[in-house]
Amino acid sequence: MAQAQAPAKSVRLATACTECQRRKQKCSREWPCNHCQARRIAHLCKFAPKKVLKAKPVCNNPRAIDVSSSDDGHSRTESVVSGIATGDDFRMLGYLPDNDDLLPNGAEQYQSAALSPSHGLVSPEVEKAIRTIPPKPYTDILVQYFLSEMNDQYYCLYPPTFSHDYATWWSGKANGQSLTPAFTALLLHVCACAILYLDVETRQQLESDLGENYTSLSEQYHHAAKQLSNTIGPGKGGLTQVQQLFLGAIWYKTEALFVESWHALGSAIHEAQELGMHRSSSKAKVSEFEREMRRRIWCLLYTWDWQISLLLSRPFIINSSYCSFELPNLRLETSNTEANTPSPVTSISLQCQLGQRISKIPGVMSGILSPNQAVAIQQEVTRWTETFPPIFRLANPDTTHDHTHAYIPMQRHQLHALAHMVTFMPLKPCLTIDPSTQNTPTLEKSLQPTAVSCALNLMLSAQQLQSQLLPANGKFHFAPFLIFDTAAYLCSALIHDKHRDLPQREKVLDSISLSLSTLKDVARTAKTGATCYAVLAKIVGNISLSAEEREVIWAQRSPATATSTSTSDDSDDVGRSSSEDNATSEQNNGISLSLPGLDLSGMHRDMHAYANGQGLDGVPSMDLDLDLSDLSQIWDWDNLGLDLDIPGIQ
């Protein structure tokens, strides 16, 4: 009997990546290598796969069929005759992924996401979408603005590859090549989001040249992208389809359509799951760059899922028990020599880790946060903040790179606000209790002072984040929504404070007053701010206050003071960079911003009349449908006489 041949050992064929070999450079032999990273071409950095030499099996059956050498039709016919199912048969039944990313050829070379390898007829939906995209000079402005101003908030796009694919898309369009629906939809969504954030001068120039209002243009781009996206089958659009679906969720959130945003996020998550992004990527036959991007996008989707679900009191879309989380390596933007300068994705990675931590606490995945969980959640948040790099620390952060990397201070304030938000969430019911009643649980009575302090700390952190975002990113939803949500709970605490013995009552009044001033400023540029300001003003108008307290709460205050004044005795030093925040807020005071159909610049509004629901003379009001999160669990809206008529917004 012949002795069985032992399998050969794996042999790495290349000592350098393909790019370093081509350029005859010394390679660091780690992905991405030093030269590819410096040249921002990590998507081209590839190492030849290891080869395993195997003995060819000896077949003694002369009638055996060589399936690998036969064509698809012949092999499928033979499988039917022989009764043996092939991979194609399983794929047709839905048991195997039907996408090219998991096939062996997917890792050989970088293929632009803009051009389709097939040269079939262009569908009417693609033709319509192409006609909707503005001329190239205006699209260039929107794309550049998105990459420079908006992308750092989420970093759903990797700028070098997107810029490459963007140039390829226009080149392919000019040469009559077949353009992919997924990238065309992605480009439309980039335009739809960017035009909402443009500065006033650039926005007015585009409106004048294109002949339409910027909100109308944004809606056209979004609807064209949505219609085109509906023509792409599950798993057919690859990573680009997931990115453009996520941008659709961002667009809805910018327009204060929170429920629609949650549903759009679900579509992006399901598309990512169709591609297997929720599983380990070790078996996926894709390039290292594709593997890294999959990890980044999945972390981003999971981060949005747990945050928006908690804020809107909705169930988690992703069940973390059935997912394999692989954090990004974060080396695409920074090398080992820049260890103190984190990647723009570091913030998303940290937020993903916080979601994983708190999801393990019983009840959190079902959306139920009670005072009984407050201690466990606070402990997890504390452990999480201890993992921050020096640049994001709660106390005395390293600010040496703030001026050279604009995303760092914004992400620092965002992480701090998130830490306070999660700590405060289980304590919300403690704000509305009456300690004098016998039916009040002892635990909630003891936690009320802590709840007030956490609310004030969260308000301070959210104010700092909002000051950092203005004026360029005034539409960023997270900060104004936190300010409104926290202020509404503090108002609820005042209404339920029958004996006027609420802990730190004076600071609560100051905090609500500052919230009104901040949201009034945000209302000039963002629908979220306009809606939140109007509703909060009505709530405040229903609080029973003394004449002195009413004077304090309606005082005209500058939001810039939030960064230099602590709101509670035990508040920590959360990302303190007051001089920069004050300067940013002062710059906003000199800019005339307006909502469509209403010019608020130079208008002196009677805030007492506004609180009582009296609109401006001659300006009609309309109803806005806003999901107010779990405030309905505390507030009796009918008895308070609150409605959602927003005076002055057309």
Side-chain angles (χ1 to χ4, degrees):
M1 181 180 294
Q3 187 176 3
Q5 183 177 352
K9 294 183 178 180
S10 299
V11 178
R12 179 175 286 281
L13 299 182
T15 58
C17 74
T18 54
E19 275 297 298
C20 287
Q21 288 186 70
R22 185 179 66 84
R23 298 173 63 89
K24 298 181 179 180
Q25 294 175 318
K26 185 177 180 180
C27 182
S28 61
R29 300 192 65 190
E30 59 179 348
W31 187 89
C33 75
N34 51 345
H35 296 297
C36 291
Q37 187 182 60
R39 297 173 59 214
R40 295 172 65 85
I41 55 169
H43 56 290
L44 300 179
C45 183
K46 294 180 176 63
F47 293 90
K50 297 179 180 180
K51 266 193 176 180
V52 177
L53 303 178
K54 296 181 179 180
K56 187 174 181 179
V58 179
C59 181
N60 296 323
N61 185 1
R63 296 184 178 181
I65 299 174
D66 187 2
V67 178
S68 60
S69 62
S70 61
D71 56 29
D72 292 341
H74 182 66
S75 62
R76 193 176 295 113
T77 303
E78 292 293 342
S79 68
V80 174
V81 174
S82 62
I84 302 175
T86 65
D88 289 335
D89 298 325
F90 282 108
R91 186 171 289 106
M92 290 176 63
L93 293 174
Y95 288 100
L96 290 178
D98 187 15
N99 61 82
D100 296 334
D101 291 332
L102 300 182
L103 298 179
N105 292 336
E108 290 181 359
Q109 57 183 351
Y110 176 75
Q111 304 245 349
S112 173
L115 300 181
S116 175
S118 61
H119 298 283
L121 295 176
V122 180
S123 66
E125 292 82 6
V126 174
E127 289 184 349
K128 181 180 178 181
I130 293 175
R131 290 195 300 267
T132 306
I133 293 176
K136 189 174 185 301
Y138 305 105
T139 309
D140 288 347
I141 294 174
L142 296 175
V143 168
Q144 183 59 36
Y145 191 88
F146 184 91
L147 294 178
S148 61
E149 300 293 338
M150 291 185 61
N151 195 46
D152 286 343
Q153 296 175 9
Y154 316 103
Y155 220 74
C156 56
L157 303 179
Y158 181 59
T161 54
F162 180 81
S163 299
H164 173 270
D165 293 339
Y166 174 68
T168 304
W169 189 91
W170 280 107
S171 176
K173 179 177 180 293
N175 297 328
Q177 294 177 275
S178 181
L179 306 176
T180 61
F183 188 85
T184 305
L186 176 62
L187 182 55
L188 280 166
H189 264 141
V190 167
C191 294
C193 294
I195 200 169
L196 294 174
Y197 283 78
L198 288 178
D199 59 89
V200 177
E201 182 179 355
T202 306
R203 189 179 67 203
Q204 290 176 347
Q205 182 64 44
L206 260 65
E207 288 180 333
S208 175
D209 293 348
L210 298 177
E212 287 193 62
N213 182 275
Y214 79 101
T215 56
S216 175
L217 290 170
S218 179
E219 290 176 0
Q220 289 180 29
Y221 302 152
H222 167 72
H223 290 306
K226 187 176 180 181
Q227 290 178 358
L228 182 57
S229 177
N230 292 336
T231 66
I232 304 174
K236 300 295 185 180
L239 183 64
T240 305
Q241 174 71 346
V242 180
Q243 291 171 313
Q244 75 90 10
L245 288 173
F246 176 73
L247 283 183
I250 293 177
W251 187 88
Y252 281 122
K253 204 62 178 286
T254 303
E255 292 294 281
L257 300 172
F258 299 114
V259 176
E260 289 82 353
S261 178
W262 183 74
H263 283 277
L265 176 65
S267 298
I269 290 174
H270 295 150
E271 183 68 20
Q273 291 170 330
E274 188 68 26
L275 297 174
M277 292 170 60
H278 62 294
R279 299 191 297 265
S280 172
S281 63
S282 58
K283 295 182 179 180
K285 297 179 180 179
V286 296
S287 65
E288 286 295 332
F289 175 77
E290 176 94 357
R291 201 184 311 274
E292 170 70 5
M293 291 304 301
R294 285 169 173 254
R295 292 169 180 169
R296 292 184 172 201
I297 296 299
W298 184 248
C299 283
L300 180 59
L301 294 175
Y302 179 75
T303 296
W304 258 57
D305 179 30
W306 75 261
Q307 291 182 18
I308 196 173
S309 297
L310 287 180
L311 284 174
L312 299 182
S313 297
R314 294 179 178 271
F316 285 43
I317 303 174
I318 298 175
N319 188 341
S320 56
S321 301
Y322 292 90
C323 296
S324 175
F325 287 94
E326 299 174 337
L327 297 178
N329 68 12
L330 308 177
R331 292 192 64 251
L332 283 180
E333 295 80 13
T334 57
S335 61
N336 292 333
T337 59
E338 300 176 303
N340 294 328
T341 307
S343 162
V345 189
T346 302
S347 172
I348 295 298
S349 178
L350 288 171
Q351 294 177 57
C352 178
Q353 294 175 53
L354 176 60
Q356 290 179 269
R357 287 176 178 269
I358 64 174
S359 66
K360 298 176 182 178
I361 301 175
V364 172
M365 286 295 294
S366 61
I368 301 174
L369 297 178
S370 65
N372 293 326
Q373 300 168 312
V375 176
I377 290 178
Q378 184 179 16
Q379 290 175 347
E380 289 299 335
V381 171
T382 301
R383 296 190 189 101
W384 174 65
T385 56
E386 290 174 350
T387 66
F388 284 5
I391 213 159
F392 290 147
R393 279 192 304 240
L394 289 178
N396 301 319
D398 179 11
T399 60
T400 55
H401 302 282
D402 285 14
H403 295 288
T404 56
H405 297 76
Y407 64 87
I408 291 178
M410 184 271 294
Q411 292 185 355
R412 180 190 302 125
H413 289 302
Q414 185 178 1
L415 289 172
H416 294 177
L418 187 63
H420 290 302
M421 181 197 81
V422 175
T423 304
F424 174 60
M425 275 188 165
L427 298 172
K428 287 180 176 180
C430 301
L431 289 177
T432 60
I433 63 173
D434 185 357
S436 62
T437 60
Q438 296 180 351
N439 295 331
T440 303
T442 304
L443 177 62
E444 294 186 9
K445 288 181 182 180
S446 62
L447 289 177
Q448 189 183 55
T450 304
V452 173
S453 296
C454 288
L456 294 175
N457 290 337
L458 174 57
M459 187 70 76
L460 170 63
S461 187
Q463 293 280 0
Q464 291 175 331
L465 175 60
Q466 184 61 36
S467 297
Q468 184 66 44
L469 293 171
L470 291 173
N473 295 317
K475 291 179 178 288
F476 190 44
H477 68 274
F478 187 61
F481 191 85
L482 278 184
I483 293 171
F484 163 75
D485 185 67
T486 310
Y489 275 104
L490 291 176
C491 289
S492 177
L494 291 176
I495 289 180
H496 289 79
D497 186 24
K498 305 299 183 182
H499 302 284
R500 298 181 178 272
D501 56 356
L502 181 71
Q504 305 187 68
R505 184 180 173 94
E506 293 182 359
K507 293 181 179 179
V508 168
L509 292 169
D510 289 338
S511 182
I512 295 174
S513 173
L514 186 58
S515 300
L516 285 168
S517 300
T518 303
L519 292 177
K520 183 182 179 183
D521 285 345
V522 180
R524 300 176 180 178
T525 57
K527 292 181 180 179
T528 303
T531 306
C532 291
Y533 172 68
V535 175
L536 182 61
K538 288 187 177 183
I539 295 174
V540 172
N542 284 272
I543 303 176
S544 177
L545 300 171
S546 64
E548 293 79 8
E549 289 178 332
R550 188 164 295 278
E551 187 67 26
V552 169
I553 211 168
W554 289 111
Q556 298 285 343
R557 298 187 56 186
S558 170
T561 59
T563 59
S564 58
T565 304
S566 177
T567 58
S568 62
D569 295 333
D570 58 346
S571 65
D572 46 18
D573 187 7
V574 183
R576 198 172 294 276
S577 56
S578 57
S579 59
E580 296 177 12
D581 295 337
N582 289 339
T584 305
S585 182
E586 289 171 2
Q587 292 174 2
N588 187 45
N589 294 336
I591 297 180
S592 175
L593 303 173
S594 62
L595 282 170
L598 176 65
D599 184 10
L600 294 178
S601 60
M603 188 176 295
H604 299 284
R605 188 185 301 275
D606 184 351
M607 297 184 70
H608 292 281
Y610 195 36
N612 294 325
Q614 302 173 15
L616 300 174
D617 294 337
V619 181
S621 62
M622 64 175 286
D623 293 334
L624 291 182
D625 185 15
L626 176 67
D627 190 336
L628 292 176
S629 181
D630 52 352
L631 290 176
S632 58
Q633 299 174 6
I634 296 178
W635 294 91
D636 189 342
W637 301 100
D638 294 332
N639 291 339
L640 290 173
L642 300 175
D643 55 62
L644 296 181
D645 292 341
I646 311 301
I649 307 299
Q650 293 184 343

